[in-house]
PDB file of all heavy atoms in Angstrom:
ATOM      1  N   SER A 411      -7.158 -23.858 -21.146  1.00 96.00           N
ATOM      2  CA  SER A 411      -8.145 -22.811 -20.817  1.00 96.00           C
ATOM      3  C   SER A 411      -7.919 -22.241 -19.424  1.00 96.00           C
ATOM      4  O   SER A 411      -8.611 -21.305 -19.011  1.00 96.00           O
ATOM      5  CB  SER A 411      -9.555 -23.396 -20.912  1.00 96.00           C
ATOM      6  OG  SER A 411      -9.706 -24.471 -19.986  1.00 96.00           O
ATOM      7  N   ILE A 412      -6.940 -22.772 -18.680  1.00 97.00           N
ATOM      8  CA  ILE A 412      -6.663 -22.324 -17.318  1.00 97.00           C
ATOM      9  C   ILE A 412      -5.475 -21.371 -17.330  1.00 97.00           C
ATOM     10  O   ILE A 412      -4.389 -21.754 -17.770  1.00 97.00           O
ATOM     11  CB  ILE A 412      -6.346 -23.515 -16.392  1.00 97.00           C
ATOM     12  CG1 ILE A 412      -7.469 -24.535 -16.423  1.00 97.00           C
ATOM     13  CG2 ILE A 412      -6.092 -23.041 -14.963  1.00 97.00           C
ATOM     14  CD1 ILE A 412      -7.119 -25.844 -15.726  1.00 97.00           C
ATOM     15  N   PRO A 413      -5.628 -20.140 -16.874  1.00 98.00           N
ATOM     16  CA  PRO A 413      -4.484 -19.221 -16.854  1.00 98.00           C
ATOM     17  C   PRO A 413      -3.492 -19.576 -15.747  1.00 98.00           C
ATOM     18  O   PRO A 413      -3.878 -20.093 -14.693  1.00 98.00           O
ATOM     19  CB  PRO A 413      -5.131 -17.860 -16.583  1.00 98.00           C
ATOM     20  CG  PRO A 413      -6.382 -18.188 -15.829  1.00 98.00           C
ATOM     21  CD  PRO A 413      -6.864 -19.497 -16.386  1.00 98.00           C
ATOM     22  N   LEU A 414      -2.229 -19.317 -15.998  1.00 98.00           N
ATOM     23  CA  LEU A 414      -1.221 -19.453 -14.956  1.00 98.00           C
ATOM     24  C   LEU A 414      -1.397 -18.343 -13.929  1.00 98.00           C
ATOM     25  O   LEU A 414      -1.767 -17.217 -14.267  1.00 98.00           O
ATOM     26  CB  LEU A 414       0.181 -19.377 -15.563  1.00 98.00           C
ATOM     27  CG  LEU A 414       0.630 -20.606 -16.367  1.00 98.00           C
ATOM     28  CD1 LEU A 414       1.800 -20.239 -17.280  1.00 98.00           C
ATOM     29  CD2 LEU A 414       1.014 -21.752 -15.432  1.00 98.00           C
ATOM     30  N   TRP A 415      -1.097 -18.657 -12.684  1.00 98.00           N
ATOM     31  CA  TRP A 415      -1.187 -17.680 -11.598  1.00 98.00           C
ATOM     32  C   TRP A 415       0.210 -17.184 -11.238  1.00 98.00           C
ATOM     33  O   TRP A 415       1.222 -17.804 -11.530  1.00 98.00           O
ATOM     34  CB  TRP A 415      -1.784 -18.317 -10.342  1.00 98.00           C
ATOM     35  CG  TRP A 415      -3.134 -18.930 -10.508  1.00 98.00           C
ATOM     36  CD1 TRP A 415      -4.004 -18.756 -11.544  1.00 98.00           C
ATOM     37  CD2 TRP A 415      -3.773 -19.837  -9.605  1.00 98.00           C
ATOM     38  NE1 TRP A 415      -5.151 -19.491 -11.342  1.00 98.00           N
ATOM     39  CE2 TRP A 415      -5.042 -20.164 -10.152  1.00 98.00           C
ATOM     40  CE3 TRP A 415      -3.411 -20.415  -8.384  1.00 98.00           C
ATOM     41  CZ2 TRP A 415      -5.928 -21.029  -9.525  1.00 98.00           C
ATOM     42  CZ3 TRP A 415      -4.293 -21.276  -7.749  1.00 98.00           C
ATOM     43  CH2 TRP A 415      -5.549 -21.578  -8.316  1.00 98.00           C
ATOM     44  N   THR A 416       0.246 -16.042 -10.552  1.00 98.00           N
ATOM     45  CA  THR A 416       1.460 -15.579  -9.910  1.00 98.00           C
ATOM     46  C   THR A 416       1.103 -15.148  -8.490  1.00 98.00           C
ATOM     47  O   THR A 416      -0.026 -15.374  -8.037  1.00 98.00           O
ATOM     48  CB  THR A 416       2.134 -14.452 -10.708  1.00 98.00           C
ATOM     49  OG1 THR A 416       3.444 -14.218 -10.174  1.00 98.00           O
ATOM     50  CG2 THR A 416       1.329 -13.161 -10.676  1.00 98.00           C
ATOM     51  N   SER A 417       2.047 -14.527  -7.788  1.00 98.00           N
ATOM     52  CA  SER A 417       1.767 -14.176  -6.394  1.00 98.00           C
ATOM     53  C   SER A 417       2.652 -13.024  -5.939  1.00 98.00           C
ATOM     54  O   SER A 417       3.443 -12.478  -6.722  1.00 98.00           O
ATOM     55  CB  SER A 417       2.004 -15.394  -5.486  1.00 98.00           C
ATOM     56  OG  SER A 417       3.393 -15.628  -5.325  1.00 98.00           O
ATOM     57  N   ASP A 418       2.544 -12.667  -4.661  1.00 98.00           N
ATOM     58  CA  ASP A 418       3.405 -11.632  -4.085  1.00 98.00           C
ATOM     59  C   ASP A 418       4.804 -12.171  -3.773  1.00 98.00           C
ATOM     60  O   ASP A 418       5.661 -11.442  -3.280  1.00 98.00           O
ATOM     61  CB  ASP A 418       2.769 -11.024  -2.831  1.00 98.00           C
ATOM     62  CG  ASP A 418       2.380 -12.070  -1.796  1.00 98.00           C
ATOM     63  OD1 ASP A 418       2.764 -13.251  -1.949  1.00 98.00           O
ATOM     64  OD2 ASP A 418       1.678 -11.717  -0.825  1.00 98.00           O
ATOM     65  N   ASN A 419       5.015 -13.456  -4.066  1.00 97.00           N
ATOM     66  CA  ASN A 419       6.330 -14.098  -3.942  1.00 97.00           C
ATOM     67  C   ASN A 419       6.497 -14.987  -5.177  1.00 97.00           C
ATOM     68  O   ASN A 419       6.447 -16.219  -5.088  1.00 97.00           O
ATOM     69  CB  ASN A 419       6.387 -14.916  -2.651  1.00 97.00           C
ATOM     70  CG  ASN A 419       7.738 -15.535  -2.405  1.00 97.00           C
ATOM     71  OD1 ASN A 419       8.769 -14.897  -2.574  1.00 97.00           O
ATOM     72  ND2 ASN A 419       7.752 -16.800  -1.998  1.00 97.00           N
ATOM     73  N   PRO A 420       6.673 -14.381  -6.368  1.00 98.00           N
ATOM     74  CA  PRO A 420       6.425 -15.100  -7.629  1.00 98.00           C
ATOM     75  C   PRO A 420       7.417 -16.192  -7.999  1.00 98.00           C
ATOM     76  O   PRO A 420       7.113 -17.024  -8.846  1.00 98.00           O
ATOM     77  CB  PRO A 420       6.453 -13.980  -8.677  1.00 98.00           C
ATOM     78  CG  PRO A 420       7.259 -12.895  -8.065  1.00 98.00           C
ATOM     79  CD  PRO A 420       6.983 -12.958  -6.597  1.00 98.00           C
ATOM     80  N   ILE A 421       8.603 -16.202  -7.400  1.00 98.00           N
ATOM     81  CA  ILE A 421       9.572 -17.247  -7.718  1.00 98.00           C
ATOM     82  C   ILE A 421       9.417 -18.378  -6.702  1.00 98.00           C
ATOM     83  O   ILE A 421       9.779 -18.234  -5.533  1.00 98.00           O
ATOM     84  CB  ILE A 421      11.011 -16.700  -7.730  1.00 98.00           C
ATOM     85  CG1 ILE A 421      11.123 -15.586  -8.765  1.00 98.00           C
ATOM     86  CG2 ILE A 421      12.002 -17.822  -8.041  1.00 98.00           C
ATOM     87  CD1 ILE A 421      12.486 -14.933  -8.826  1.00 98.00           C
ATOM     88  N   ALA A 422       8.838 -19.479  -7.159  1.00 97.00           N
ATOM     89  CA  ALA A 422       8.536 -20.608  -6.276  1.00 97.00           C
ATOM     90  C   ALA A 422       9.550 -21.723  -6.490  1.00 97.00           C
ATOM     91  O   ALA A 422      10.196 -21.800  -7.540  1.00 97.00           O
ATOM     92  CB  ALA A 422       7.120 -21.113  -6.534  1.00 97.00           C
ATOM     93  N   ILE A 423       9.670 -22.576  -5.498  1.00 96.00           N
ATOM     94  CA  ILE A 423      10.649 -23.664  -5.552  1.00 96.00           C
ATOM     95  C   ILE A 423       9.956 -24.996  -5.327  1.00 96.00           C
ATOM     96  O   ILE A 423       9.243 -25.184  -4.340  1.00 96.00           O
ATOM     97  CB  ILE A 423      11.753 -23.454  -4.506  1.00 96.00           C
ATOM     98  CG1 ILE A 423      12.553 -22.193  -4.842  1.00 96.00           C
ATOM     99  CG2 ILE A 423      12.682 -24.672  -4.442  1.00 96.00           C
ATOM    100  CD1 ILE A 423      13.628 -21.848  -3.852  1.00 96.00           C
ATOM    101  N   LYS A 424      10.166 -25.907  -6.258  1.00 95.00           N
ATOM    102  CA  LYS A 424       9.604 -27.253  -6.172  1.00 95.00           C
ATOM    103  C   LYS A 424      10.750 -28.221  -5.868  1.00 95.00           C
ATOM    104  O   LYS A 424      11.608 -28.466  -6.706  1.00 95.00           O
ATOM    105  CB  LYS A 424       8.922 -27.625  -7.488  1.00 95.00           C
ATOM    106  CG  LYS A 424       8.220 -28.974  -7.468  1.00 95.00           C
ATOM    107  CD  LYS A 424       7.511 -29.225  -8.793  1.00 95.00           C
ATOM    108  CE  LYS A 424       6.778 -30.568  -8.765  1.00 95.00           C
ATOM    109  NZ  LYS A 424       6.085 -30.830 -10.060  1.00 95.00           N
ATOM    110  N   GLN A 425      10.757 -28.748  -4.660  1.00 92.00           N
ATOM    111  CA  GLN A 425      11.863 -29.618  -4.276  1.00 92.00           C
ATOM    112  C   GLN A 425      11.691 -31.028  -4.830  1.00 92.00           C
ATOM    113  O   GLN A 425      10.572 -31.468  -5.106  1.00 92.00           O
ATOM    114  CB  GLN A 425      12.009 -29.672  -2.756  1.00 92.00           C
ATOM    115  CG  GLN A 425      10.943 -30.442  -2.015  1.00 92.00           C
ATOM    116  CD  GLN A 425      11.244 -30.526  -0.517  1.00 92.00           C
ATOM    117  OE1 GLN A 425      11.981 -29.717   0.021  1.00 92.00           O
ATOM    118  NE2 GLN A 425      10.674 -31.507   0.144  1.00 92.00           N
ATOM    119  N   HIS A 426      12.803 -31.711  -4.966  1.00 87.00           N
ATOM    120  CA  HIS A 426      12.788 -33.104  -5.406  1.00 87.00           C
ATOM    121  C   HIS A 426      12.911 -33.989  -4.180  1.00 87.00           C
ATOM    122  O   HIS A 426      13.910 -33.918  -3.449  1.00 87.00           O
ATOM    123  CB  HIS A 426      13.936 -33.364  -6.378  1.00 87.00           C
ATOM    124  CG  HIS A 426      14.093 -34.805  -6.758  1.00 87.00           C
ATOM    125  ND1 HIS A 426      13.123 -35.484  -7.459  1.00 87.00           N
ATOM    126  CD2 HIS A 426      15.094 -35.692  -6.518  1.00 87.00           C
ATOM    127  CE1 HIS A 426      13.525 -36.731  -7.645  1.00 87.00           C
ATOM    128  NE2 HIS A 426      14.709 -36.880  -7.080  1.00 87.00           N
ATOM    129  N   GLU A 427      11.872 -34.787  -3.942  1.00 83.00           N
ATOM    130  CA  GLU A 427      11.822 -35.674  -2.783  1.00 83.00           C
ATOM    131  C   GLU A 427      12.139 -34.874  -1.522  1.00 83.00           C
ATOM    132  O   GLU A 427      11.465 -33.915  -1.218  1.00 83.00           O
ATOM    133  CB  GLU A 427      12.780 -36.860  -2.992  1.00 83.00           C
ATOM    134  CG  GLU A 427      12.342 -37.751  -4.167  1.00 83.00           C
ATOM    135  CD  GLU A 427      13.258 -38.933  -4.389  1.00 83.00           C
ATOM    136  OE1 GLU A 427      14.363 -38.986  -3.804  1.00 83.00           O
ATOM    137  OE2 GLU A 427      12.854 -39.838  -5.170  1.00 83.00           O
ATOM    138  N   HIS A 428      13.205 -35.249  -0.784  1.00 82.00           N
ATOM    139  CA  HIS A 428      13.513 -34.548   0.465  1.00 82.00           C
ATOM    140  C   HIS A 428      14.894 -33.906   0.428  1.00 82.00           C
ATOM    141  O   HIS A 428      15.578 -33.817   1.452  1.00 82.00           O
ATOM    142  CB  HIS A 428      13.425 -35.523   1.642  1.00 82.00           C
ATOM    143  CG  HIS A 428      12.090 -36.182   1.785  1.00 82.00           C
ATOM    144  ND1 HIS A 428      10.967 -35.480   2.180  1.00 82.00           N
ATOM    145  CD2 HIS A 428      11.696 -37.453   1.546  1.00 82.00           C
ATOM    146  CE1 HIS A 428       9.924 -36.315   2.197  1.00 82.00           C
ATOM    147  NE2 HIS A 428      10.342 -37.511   1.823  1.00 82.00           N
TER     148      HIS A 428
END
Side-chain angles (χ1 to χ4, degrees):
S411 61
I412 305 170
L414 287 161
W415 303 345
T416 191
S417 74
D418 54 10
N419 184 44
I421 301 178
I423 295 177
K424 184 177 181 180
Q425 72 176 22
H426 173 64
E427 295 181 348
H428 302 291

